[in-house]
Amino acid sequence: MSVKSVGTSFWLWLLCIFGFCGIHRFYLGFIWTGLLWLFTFGLLGIGQLIDLFRLRNLVLMSNMQRDFERRSV
């Protein structure tokens, strides 16, 4: 696993313009919510919009989880 970046997450978030909502969540390792976003069009756009403002925190959580898992092994 590599360190996730806010820039890449933002560009993946922008794919919602083309109907691919939740791809940024797959990138960050949130598979179940990524599937939920994908099949509900980002919770009808509301979840996608909220994620725009939470994106930095989502990346931080993903990187912290990666560090925790790496140190636990």
Side-chain angles (χ1 to χ4, degrees):
M1 287 179 145
S2 62
V3 176
K4 309 300 182 188
S5 76
V6 175
T8 303
S9 297
F10 176 73
W11 286 109
L12 291 172
W13 179 90
L14 278 176
L15 288 175
C16 71
I17 295 170
F18 302 106
F20 298 106
C21 298
I23 303 302
H24 63 288
R25 287 186 167 266
F26 287 109
Y27 169 71
L28 295 174
F30 304 117
I31 304 301
W32 293 111
T33 55
L35 287 171
L36 180 65
W37 260 237
L38 187 63
F39 291 124
T40 62
F41 299 106
L43 296 175
L44 300 177
I46 296 168
Q48 196 73 16
L49 184 62
I50 291 170
D51 275 0
L52 176 60
F53 296 103
R54 293 187 60 219
L55 203 55
R56 288 188 189 273
N57 288 334
L58 290 171
V59 171
L60 181 63
M61 284 178 14
S62 177
N63 287 332
M64 287 175 58
Q65 183 178 4
R66 181 191 60 87
D67 287 342
F68 177 76
E69 289 173 356
R70 191 184 64 189
R71 290 180 183 167
S72 296
V73 174

